[in-house]
Amino acid sequence: MGMSDFPTWFGVGSYGGLACTMLAAGGIAAYALLRRRGSPRQLARAVLVCLFAGAFMLASVWWNQNRLELYGPSLAEHEILFWLCWTVCAGWLIPLGMLLGYLLLAEPQPAAQAQASSRFPQTLTALDDPARFREPLGAGIAWGRLVPLFGVDAGDDLSAGHESQEGRPLPLTRQMTLLGREIDCDIVIDDQRTSRHHAEIHWDHGRAQVVDRGSMNSTLVNRQTVRGPTPLVDGDILELGAQRYRFEFVPAANAGHELPPEPLDPLEQSQPEIETRKVPGTNTARPNVPVPLVLTGLSVGVAGLTWIVDQPIMTIGRDRERPICIPDESVSRLHAQIVRQQVGYFVSDLHSSNGTFLNGDLLIAPSLLSPGDILRVGAIELRCDASLLESPSQTTIPLDESARIAQTA
């Protein structure tokens, strides 16, 4: 090969080496994903080596265009030999060697966490599975419970002395309990970081397991990500989105008795609570549903108007499609919401402009709504009273219809 042909062949070799590094990186990534070979660290290391080799090849391309093609025969032999070795090593030997080594030495990726018990299914349970409506110990008899934990950040360690506030325990009575943000869940969690159908808890003959349903932010048990069915023991800490719960088994001595109902204490209304319990309509064994509440307008413009609070979730706002519509400029379009759970109705602010107040205190967390409370949304005050209805069968009275009835009267 003459000196006049060397620049052409060197240009082909340098550009070909650059292409070889990119193809080697893509081949390694494709092989790892399709054949599930190598650990994530090994894959990242191999791809980065190929990409760095491609970056080194840019120097070889620059030398070819700015030195070899201009000066050609006048260049020193040791300079030409250096860049020739540079191109061969960085463009061909390193990427091809890395690709061949990964193909031959990369081990299969470890399988997902094995199933702890064959009694629990590997696949996700259907939303209409009969286990959701089956109470193995009897109607209303709990085998376990979830205790909400507040006042502890996700990075804090409970064992390190950090104080936490506990909410009202949520009894677990079903063979399968679905948790999530959607209202058709058995335990509804009003948190934007929680998926619509986030996780499910199974129970079978004294053993419990939690399964993540492919949630966006994952389910954690004692700070460990749930991968497949994970056994639960007494005292485990569950994290779903930004919410934390302590899992507890009901003692064997109380296995045949229903958990005693806790009285509604107005002093506990400042205690934050986000979860709600909702039983699908196809279930014949319903837990106790709290008695509906009545909101009565006290301010000018809504004085004497009433709204029945008897739905799982009722929103308050200025828009006409809200169940509790208050057409006042101080009320946001979507101002607040009232969530029904097994122990009562909880009210929370929805980032309104003028805030939501309960008995004069600004709401910063969901609070229990009790008869006699004064709820203020914007500049409108509402009094909360107990309804005389036996069951939540009466629908909410819209504002415009209530005004028409009042004017007719």
Side-chain angles (χ1 to χ4, degrees):
M1 180 179 64
M3 192 64 185
S4 59
D5 296 332
F6 181 78
T8 302
W9 287 104
F10 187 87
V12 173
S14 60
Y15 284 106
L18 180 62
C20 180
T21 58
M22 299 297 104
L23 292 176
I28 292 174
Y31 179 76
L33 294 177
L34 296 179
R35 300 298 301 273
R36 299 186 180 277
R37 296 279 179 164
S39 64
R41 179 174 298 181
Q42 292 173 342
L43 173 61
R45 185 184 297 117
V47 172
L48 286 177
V49 168
C50 294
L51 295 180
F52 277 120
F56 292 151
M57 283 302 301
L58 295 177
S60 178
V61 173
W62 176 89
W63 183 82
N64 177 58
Q65 294 178 349
N66 294 273
R67 296 280 298 172
L68 183 61
E69 293 182 357
L70 293 179
Y71 302 102
S74 62
L75 294 175
E77 293 183 359
H78 66 272
E79 181 180 355
I80 297 176
L81 182 62
F82 171 82
W83 285 106
L84 183 61
C85 296
W86 179 287
T87 302
V88 172
C89 294
W92 297 93
L93 295 182
I94 292 179
L96 292 180
M98 187 62 63
L99 176 61
L100 182 61
Y102 197 91
L103 295 178
L104 297 178
L105 303 178
E107 298 179 354
Q109 295 178 2
Q113 183 177 356
Q115 183 178 9
S117 173
S118 60
R119 296 174 181 264
F120 298 92
Q122 287 279 12
T123 58
L124 298 180
T125 307
L127 297 180
D128 58 349
D129 190 273
R132 290 188 60 190
F133 316 127
R134 186 181 302 119
E135 296 179 311
L137 300 184
I141 301 178
W143 55 266
R145 57 188 178 184
L146 294 178
V147 180
L149 302 177
F150 303 96
V152 178
D153 296 333
D156 295 337
D157 188 0
L158 292 175
S159 62
H162 296 281
E163 295 183 357
S164 63
Q165 185 179 3
E166 297 183 358
R168 292 180 179 271
L170 301 175
L172 302 174
T173 62
R174 313 288 179 80
Q175 190 170 352
M176 195 277 281
T177 304
L178 182 63
L179 303 92
R181 198 174 74 248
E182 196 67 33
I183 61 175
D184 62 347
C185 295
D186 300 309
I187 295 180
V188 179
I189 303 176
D190 186 16
D191 178 22
Q192 292 300 321
R193 293 185 58 185
T194 304
S195 301
R196 297 182 182 275
H197 300 102
H198 196 103
E200 55 191 43
I201 297 178
H202 296 264
W203 184 89
D204 189 6
H205 296 87
R207 294 186 297 173
Q209 285 186 326
V210 61
V211 180
D212 185 79
R213 294 182 62 91
S215 60
M216 180 68 67
N217 295 312
S218 301
T219 302
L220 304 182
V221 176
N222 300 326
R223 308 290 169 79
Q224 301 296 322
T225 303
V226 171
R227 303 182 186 279
T230 302
L232 291 175
V233 299
D234 199 65
D236 280 348
I237 303 298
L238 275 71
E239 297 183 30
L240 295 89
Q243 307 306 317
R244 295 164 59 87
Y245 307 90
R246 184 177 66 250
F247 173 79
E248 296 178 352
F249 280 107
V250 174
N254 298 329
H257 303 280
E258 185 178 358
L259 290 177
E262 300 186 24
L264 297 180
D265 188 356
L267 297 179
E268 295 179 0
Q269 62 186 6
S270 60
Q271 183 179 16
E273 191 81 22
I274 297 179
E275 305 79 6
T276 181
R277 184 64 177 255
K278 179 181 182 298
V279 182
T282 55
N283 184 18
T284 58
R286 290 176 174 267
N288 294 329
V289 178
V291 177
L293 300 176
V294 177
L295 293 180
T296 304
L298 300 179
S299 302
V300 177
V302 296
L305 300 182
T306 60
W307 296 268
I308 305 296
V309 180
D310 59 355
Q311 301 300 317
I313 298 179
M314 297 188 67
T315 55
I316 304 174
R318 195 171 71 245
D319 290 341
R320 295 179 61 87
E321 62 267 18
R322 304 300 167 200
I324 303 178
C325 175
I326 304 179
D328 187 87
E329 291 299 327
S330 64
V331 180
S332 301
R333 297 184 181 276
L334 181 59
H335 197 104
Q337 74 176 6
I338 300 176
V339 178
R340 186 181 72 196
Q341 56 185 74
Q342 196 169 3
V343 296
Y345 292 86
F346 282 74
V347 60
S348 58
D349 184 78
L350 297 179
H351 306 287
S352 61
S353 300
N354 297 316
T356 304
F357 297 81
L358 184 62
N359 297 325
D361 296 329
L362 179 65
L363 284 180
I364 58 176
S367 298
L368 181 64
L369 192 62
S370 303
D373 289 342
I374 300 298
L375 179 66
R376 177 158 64 90
V377 288
I380 302 299
E381 289 190 348
L382 307 172
R383 185 181 70 248
C384 179
D385 298 310
S387 175
L388 300 179
L389 298 177
E390 293 292 336
S391 60
S393 59
Q394 183 172 343
T395 57
T396 303
I397 303 176
L399 178 62
D400 51 357
E401 183 178 352
S402 301
R404 181 181 60 80
I405 295 176
Q407 292 175 0
T408 303

CSV table of all heavy atoms in Angstrom, one decimal, residues 116-142:
chain,number,residue,atom,x,y,z
A,116,ALA,N,-43.4,-17.0,48.1
A,116,ALA,CA,-43.2,-17.6,49.5
A,116,ALA,C,-44.2,-18.7,49.8
A,116,ALA,O,-43.8,-19.5,50.6
A,116,ALA,CB,-43.4,-16.4,50.5
A,117,SER,N,-45.3,-18.7,49.2
A,117,SER,CA,-46.3,-19.8,49.5
A,117,SER,C,-47.1,-20.1,48.3
A,117,SER,O,-47.6,-19.1,47.6
A,117,SER,CB,-47.2,-19.4,50.7
A,117,SER,OG,-48.2,-20.3,50.9
A,118,SER,N,-47.3,-21.3,48.0
A,118,SER,CA,-48.1,-21.7,46.8
A,118,SER,C,-49.6,-21.4,47.0
A,118,SER,O,-50.4,-21.5,46.1
A,118,SER,CB,-47.9,-23.2,46.5
A,118,SER,OG,-48.4,-23.9,47.6
A,119,ARG,N,-50.0,-21.0,48.2
A,119,ARG,CA,-51.4,-20.7,48.4
A,119,ARG,C,-51.8,-19.4,47.8
A,119,ARG,O,-53.0,-19.1,47.6
A,119,ARG,CB,-51.7,-20.6,49.9
A,119,ARG,CG,-51.5,-21.9,50.6
A,119,ARG,CD,-51.7,-21.7,52.1
A,119,ARG,NE,-51.5,-22.9,52.9
A,119,ARG,CZ,-52.5,-23.7,53.2
A,119,ARG,NH1,-53.7,-23.5,52.9
A,119,ARG,NH2,-52.2,-24.8,53.9
A,120,PHE,N,-50.8,-18.5,47.5
A,120,PHE,CA,-51.1,-17.1,47.0
A,120,PHE,C,-50.7,-17.1,45.5
A,120,PHE,O,-49.7,-17.6,45.1
A,120,PHE,CB,-50.3,-16.1,47.8
A,120,PHE,CG,-50.7,-16.0,49.2
A,120,PHE,CD1,-50.0,-16.8,50.1
A,120,PHE,CD2,-51.7,-15.3,49.6
A,120,PHE,CE1,-50.3,-16.8,51.5
A,120,PHE,CE2,-52.1,-15.2,51.0
A,120,PHE,CZ,-51.4,-16.0,51.9
A,121,PRO,N,-51.5,-16.4,44.7
A,121,PRO,CA,-51.3,-16.4,43.3
A,121,PRO,C,-50.1,-15.5,42.9
A,121,PRO,O,-49.9,-14.5,43.5
A,121,PRO,CB,-52.6,-15.9,42.7
A,121,PRO,CG,-53.2,-15.0,43.8
A,121,PRO,CD,-52.8,-15.7,45.1
A,122,GLN,N,-49.4,-15.9,41.8
A,122,GLN,CA,-48.4,-15.1,41.3
A,122,GLN,C,-48.9,-13.9,40.5
A,122,GLN,O,-48.4,-12.8,40.6
A,122,GLN,CB,-47.5,-15.9,40.4
A,122,GLN,CG,-46.6,-16.9,41.1
A,122,GLN,CD,-45.3,-16.3,41.6
A,122,GLN,OE1,-45.2,-15.1,41.7
A,122,GLN,NE2,-44.4,-17.1,42.1
A,123,THR,N,-50.0,-14.1,39.8
A,123,THR,CA,-50.5,-13.0,39.0
A,123,THR,C,-51.4,-12.1,39.8
A,123,THR,O,-51.9,-12.5,40.9
A,123,THR,CB,-51.3,-13.6,37.8
A,123,THR,OG1,-52.4,-14.5,38.3
A,123,THR,CG2,-50.4,-14.4,36.9
A,124,LEU,N,-51.8,-11.0,39.3
A,124,LEU,CA,-52.6,-10.0,40.0
A,124,LEU,C,-54.0,-10.6,40.1
A,124,LEU,O,-54.5,-11.1,39.2
A,124,LEU,CB,-52.6,-8.7,39.3
A,124,LEU,CG,-51.2,-8.0,39.3
A,124,LEU,CD1,-51.3,-6.6,38.6
A,124,LEU,CD2,-50.6,-7.8,40.7
A,125,THR,N,-54.6,-10.3,41.2
A,125,THR,CA,-56.0,-10.8,41.5
A,125,THR,C,-57.0,-9.9,40.7
A,125,THR,O,-56.8,-8.7,40.7
A,125,THR,CB,-56.3,-10.8,43.0
A,125,THR,OG1,-55.3,-11.5,43.7
A,125,THR,CG2,-57.7,-11.4,43.2
A,126,ALA,N,-58.0,-10.5,40.1
A,126,ALA,CA,-59.0,-9.7,39.4
A,126,ALA,C,-59.8,-8.9,40.4
A,126,ALA,O,-59.9,-9.2,41.6
A,126,ALA,CB,-60.0,-10.6,38.7
A,127,LEU,N,-60.3,-7.7,40.0
A,127,LEU,CA,-61.0,-6.8,40.9
A,127,LEU,C,-62.3,-7.4,41.4
A,127,LEU,O,-62.8,-7.0,42.4
A,127,LEU,CB,-61.2,-5.5,40.1
A,127,LEU,CG,-60.0,-4.7,39.7
A,127,LEU,CD1,-60.4,-3.4,39.0
A,127,LEU,CD2,-59.1,-4.4,40.9
A,128,ASP,N,-62.9,-8.3,40.6
A,128,ASP,CA,-64.1,-8.9,41.1
A,128,ASP,C,-63.9,-10.3,41.7
A,128,ASP,O,-64.8,-11.1,41.7
A,128,ASP,CB,-65.1,-9.0,39.9
A,128,ASP,CG,-64.5,-9.8,38.7
A,128,ASP,OD1,-63.3,-10.1,38.8
A,128,ASP,OD2,-65.3,-10.1,37.8
A,129,ASP,N,-62.7,-10.6,42.2
A,129,ASP,CA,-62.4,-11.9,42.8
A,129,ASP,C,-63.3,-12.1,44.0
A,129,ASP,O,-63.5,-11.2,44.8
A,129,ASP,CB,-60.9,-11.9,43.1
A,129,ASP,CG,-60.5,-13.3,43.5
A,129,ASP,OD1,-60.6,-13.7,44.7
A,129,ASP,OD2,-60.0,-14.1,42.6
A,130,PRO,N,-63.8,-13.3,44.2
A,130,PRO,CA,-64.7,-13.6,45.3
A,130,PRO,C,-64.0,-13.4,46.7
A,130,PRO,O,-64.6,-13.2,47.7
A,130,PRO,CB,-65.1,-15.0,45.1
A,130,PRO,CG,-65.0,-15.3,43.6
A,130,PRO,CD,-63.8,-14.4,43.2
A,131,ALA,N,-62.6,-13.5,46.7
A,131,ALA,CA,-61.9,-13.3,47.9
A,131,ALA,C,-62.1,-11.9,48.5
A,131,ALA,O,-62.0,-11.7,49.7
A,131,ALA,CB,-60.4,-13.6,47.7
A,132,ARG,N,-62.4,-10.9,47.7
A,132,ARG,CA,-62.7,-9.6,48.2
A,132,ARG,C,-63.9,-9.5,49.0
A,132,ARG,O,-64.1,-8.6,49.8
A,132,ARG,CB,-62.7,-8.6,47.0
A,132,ARG,CG,-61.4,-8.3,46.3
A,132,ARG,CD,-61.6,-7.2,45.3
A,132,ARG,NE,-62.0,-6.0,46.0
A,132,ARG,CZ,-62.3,-4.9,45.4
A,132,ARG,NH1,-62.4,-4.9,44.0
A,132,ARG,NH2,-62.7,-3.8,46.0
A,133,PHE,N,-64.9,-10.4,48.8
A,133,PHE,CA,-66.1,-10.4,49.5
A,133,PHE,C,-66.3,-11.5,50.6
A,133,PHE,O,-67.3,-11.6,51.2
A,133,PHE,CB,-67.3,-10.5,48.5
A,133,PHE,CG,-67.1,-9.6,47.3
A,133,PHE,CD1,-67.1,-10.2,46.0
A,133,PHE,CD2,-66.8,-8.3,47.4
A,133,PHE,CE1,-67.0,-9.4,44.9
A,133,PHE,CE2,-66.6,-7.5,46.3
A,133,PHE,CZ,-66.7,-8.0,45.0
A,134,ARG,N,-65.2,-12.2,50.8
A,134,ARG,CA,-65.3,-13.3,51.7
A,134,ARG,C,-64.6,-12.9,53.0
A,134,ARG,O,-63.4,-12.5,53.0
A,134,ARG,CB,-64.6,-14.6,51.1
A,134,ARG,CG,-64.7,-15.8,51.9
A,134,ARG,CD,-64.0,-17.0,51.3
A,134,ARG,NE,-64.5,-17.3,50.0
A,134,ARG,CZ,-63.7,-17.2,48.9
A,134,ARG,NH1,-62.5,-16.9,49.0
A,134,ARG,NH2,-64.2,-17.4,47.7
A,135,GLU,N,-65.3,-13.1,54.1
A,135,GLU,CA,-64.7,-12.8,55.4
A,135,GLU,C,-64.6,-14.2,56.2
A,135,GLU,O,-65.5,-14.7,56.7
A,135,GLU,CB,-65.6,-11.9,56.2
A,135,GLU,CG,-65.8,-10.5,55.6
A,135,GLU,CD,-66.7,-9.6,56.3
A,135,GLU,OE1,-67.8,-10.0,56.7
A,135,GLU,OE2,-66.3,-8.4,56.6
A,136,PRO,N,-63.3,-14.7,56.2
A,136,PRO,CA,-63.1,-16.1,56.6
A,136,PRO,C,-63.5,-16.3,58.1
A,136,PRO,O,-63.9,-17.4,58.5
A,136,PRO,CB,-61.7,-16.3,56.4
A,136,PRO,CG,-61.0,-15.0,56.3
A,136,PRO,CD,-62.1,-14.1,55.8
A,137,LEU,N,-63.4,-15.3,59.0
A,137,LEU,CA,-63.7,-15.5,60.4
A,137,LEU,C,-65.1,-15.1,60.7
A,137,LEU,O,-65.5,-15.2,61.9
A,137,LEU,CB,-62.7,-14.6,61.2
A,137,LEU,CG,-61.2,-14.9,61.1
A,137,LEU,CD1,-60.4,-14.1,62.0
A,137,LEU,CD2,-60.9,-16.4,61.3
A,138,GLY,N,-65.9,-14.7,59.8
A,138,GLY,CA,-67.2,-14.2,60.0
A,138,GLY,C,-67.4,-12.8,59.7
A,138,GLY,O,-66.5,-12.0,59.6
A,139,ALA,N,-68.7,-12.4,59.6
A,139,ALA,CA,-69.0,-11.0,59.2
A,139,ALA,C,-68.5,-10.0,60.2
A,139,ALA,O,-68.8,-10.1,61.4
A,139,ALA,CB,-70.5,-10.8,59.0
A,140,GLY,N,-67.6,-9.1,59.8
A,140,GLY,CA,-67.1,-8.0,60.6
A,140,GLY,C,-66.0,-8.5,61.6
A,140,GLY,O,-65.6,-7.6,62.4
A,141,ILE,N,-65.6,-9.7,61.6
A,141,ILE,CA,-64.5,-10.1,62.5
A,141,ILE,C,-63.2,-10.0,61.8
A,141,ILE,O,-62.9,-10.5,60.7
A,141,ILE,CB,-64.8,-11.6,62.9
A,141,ILE,CG1,-66.1,-11.8,63.6
A,141,ILE,CG2,-63.6,-12.1,63.8
A,141,ILE,CD1,-66.4,-13.2,64.0
A,142,ALA,N,-62.3,-9.2,62.4
A,142,ALA,CA,-61.0,-8.8,61.9
A,142,ALA,C,-60.0,-9.9,62.2
A,142,ALA,O,-59.9,-10.3,63.4
A,142,ALA,CB,-60.6,-7.4,62.3
